[in-house]
Amino acid sequence: MLIPVFVGVVLLVLFAVYSVVMTIMWLRVKQKHEFESNTIEDALKQIDKTALIQRKADEAMQLHQNFQKFVPRQFVAHFAKAGVNTLELGRADEDNVAIMFCDIRGFTSLSEKLTPQQLMNFLNSYFLRMNAPIHENNGFIDKFIGDAIMALFDNPKGTDSDKARDAISSAIGIQKALKLYNMHRDNVGYPPIRNGVGIHFGPVVIGTVGSDDRMDTTVIGDAVNVAQRIETLNDYFGSDILVSRECLELALKSSHLDYRTVENIRLKGKSVNVCVLEILSHLDENERKAKLACHTAIEEGISLRNNEKMADAAKLFSDLFAKYPDDKVIAHHYSMSQKALHSEGWDGVVSL
């Protein structure tokens, strides 16, 4: 009788142990499942959070890129140099920069032949090609003024010579880009276009103007006015690139350029004269050589005129005009020398 009882007790104990073990295993499995469930849920939440952060970062970057299209980062960099990281109304900074104006010749007559949409397409196509040479030479576009471009060259790591060289190199690049653009226009039956570039170097004030709800960046200074007025002379002289002597002399310190003297000019509204020179480096070889050949003679004629040797100056320019009748610079000097013969007390400065 004892054996069956003993066996029953043993089986009961084993069943109890089995029950305890199974319960422990079940609890561990349940705990592991709950842990894994929590881990997956946390991971999914972390993924959603990371995706949200990335989306916000992308939106911020897009906003930043859009903002740069209206306010160039180089403009903001002027204030950052002084430790100012915010663009506030009335903020100003003074610096020496090279200023470029680039304008399409005969734009009014050209625009009259286009529909509004065609005009916008043309301008955007043109600006797109003119933009590259400016940025490739450490410059940035300050603003578009109708069909004109105003650009600044202020290499933060460069000297004044580097800034002047960058501006002239950009102007040469613009003329090369325009030549290629005209080839594309010719392929589709469009007429070629020409533009003129004027460059000056000097101090300017870079700042923000406007009101509390509408603010714009701007550059103010006499150097800006001089650059703009030099550009307008291209049509009169039949040139592509005109620069002031101040700008050219700075550029020649760090680069070689082909150029010729054009005229000493008293610009409208100015009391001092500006010596204007024509850049020739972008021209084809024959045209460049022909204009370079006149350089010494033009300077000699201007010197004679300034020293009141009007008859000698008139003779020199008359001979040049007979040889180069299509050169507008020579034609200008021939006309001025003839007038100088009959003028008394002329100071040798031309007002245009």
Side-chain angles (χ1 to χ4, degrees):
M1 291 296 294
L2 292 174
I3 292 175
V5 172
F6 176 75
V7 172
V9 171
V10 170
L11 290 174
L12 184 62
V13 171
L14 290 175
F15 178 76
V17 171
Y18 173 77
S19 298
V20 172
V21 171
M22 292 303 294
T23 301
I24 293 174
M25 291 179 66
W26 178 79
L27 290 173
R28 286 185 176 180
V29 170
K30 180 180 179 183
Q31 184 181 22
K32 182 179 180 181
H33 176 72
E34 291 177 350
F35 175 77
E36 289 177 349
S37 297
N38 292 336
T39 301
I40 293 173
E41 186 177 351
D42 291 341
L44 291 174
K45 289 181 179 179
Q46 186 63 34
I47 291 173
D48 291 341
K49 185 177 181 181
T50 302
L52 178 62
I53 293 173
Q54 183 62 49
R55 187 165 62 253
K56 293 296 184 182
D58 292 341
E59 291 174 357
M61 179 58 70
Q62 185 64 45
L63 180 62
H64 176 68
Q65 292 173 348
N66 289 337
F67 178 73
Q68 283 189 348
K69 294 177 182 179
F70 292 92
V71 181
R73 58 181 176 79
Q74 296 93 332
F75 201 102
V76 181
H78 281 280
F79 305 115
K81 288 189 297 185
V84 178
N85 296 319
T86 57
L87 200 61
E88 300 174 351
L89 180 64
R91 180 71 63 183
D93 181 36
E94 186 173 352
D95 203 354
N96 293 322
V97 301
I99 308 104
M100 169 198 287
F101 279 86
C102 178
D103 197 13
I104 298 175
R105 292 194 205 166
F107 177 72
T108 301
S109 59
L110 175 65
S111 63
E112 290 173 349
K113 302 174 184 178
L114 303 175
T115 66
Q117 188 60 56
Q118 288 175 331
L119 181 60
M120 293 304 294
N121 292 341
F122 161 69
L123 283 176
N124 286 324
S125 177
Y126 167 77
F127 287 145
L128 180 65
R129 289 164 171 80
M130 300 302 104
N131 177 69
I134 294 173
H135 284 273
E136 289 169 359
N137 288 280
N138 303 303
F140 65 95
I141 295 175
D142 177 61
K143 56 177 62 71
F144 297 102
I145 312 169
D147 62 302
I149 299 172
M150 176 183 172
L152 303 179
F153 295 82
D154 182 28
N155 187 341
K157 298 181 180 179
T159 62
D160 288 351
S161 176
D162 295 329
K163 298 173 186 178
R165 180 203 60 212
D166 288 341
I168 296 177
S169 297
S170 175
I172 293 171
I174 282 175
Q175 295 304 322
K176 292 179 179 179
L178 183 63
K179 184 177 181 180
L180 181 61
Y181 180 44
N182 280 329
M183 291 174 60
H184 293 161
R185 287 177 61 83
D186 183 63
N187 290 336
V188 293
Y190 291 148
I193 60 172
R194 294 191 67 184
N195 64 16
V197 179
I199 307 173
H200 185 51
F201 185 92
V204 298
V205 174
I206 302 174
T208 55
V209 294
S211 60
D212 293 337
D213 60 348
R214 180 66 174 90
M215 184 176 67
D216 196 8
T217 56
T218 190
V219 180
I220 302 172
D222 185 65
V224 178
N225 299 329
V226 171
Q228 191 274 330
R229 288 172 183 175
I230 288 176
E231 185 279 318
T232 63
L233 297 174
N234 280 288
D235 191 45
Y236 175 77
F237 287 115
S239 53
D240 298 324
I241 307 171
L242 293 177
V243 301
S244 64
R245 182 175 293 278
E246 293 89 338
C247 184
L248 181 63
E249 287 180 346
L250 283 171
L252 290 175
K253 292 180 179 180
S254 57
S255 62
H256 170 76
L257 294 165
D258 291 329
Y259 65 92
R260 70 172 178 175
T261 300
V262 172
E263 182 61 282
N264 294 315
I265 300 173
R266 181 172 291 135
L267 300 174
K268 183 178 180 181
K270 301 297 178 183
S271 60
V272 296
N273 63 305
V274 176
C275 181
V276 178
L277 303 101
E278 180 183 8
I279 299 299
L280 309 173
S281 299
H282 64 287
L283 299 176
D284 62 65
E285 186 176 359
N286 292 334
E287 187 177 4
R288 184 172 68 252
K289 286 183 177 180
K291 290 194 173 187
L292 282 172
C294 303
H295 175 58
T296 302
I298 291 173
E299 291 199 329
E300 182 182 351
I302 292 175
S303 178
L304 290 170
R305 195 183 65 193
N306 292 343
N307 290 308
E308 299 183 358
K309 297 180 180 180
M310 303 305 182
D312 293 337
K315 175 65 168 61
L316 185 150
F317 286 124
S318 179
D319 292 342
L320 274 179
F321 183 63
K323 189 175 181 180
Y324 303 101
D326 297 327
D327 191 320
K328 286 190 174 183
V329 173
I330 301 299
H332 158 80
H333 284 292
Y334 171 70
S335 176
M336 289 296 103
S337 64
Q338 295 301 313
K339 290 180 181 179
L341 283 173
H342 306 92
S343 300
E344 295 183 2
W346 185 49
D347 60 4
V349 178
V350 177
S351 297
L352 295 177

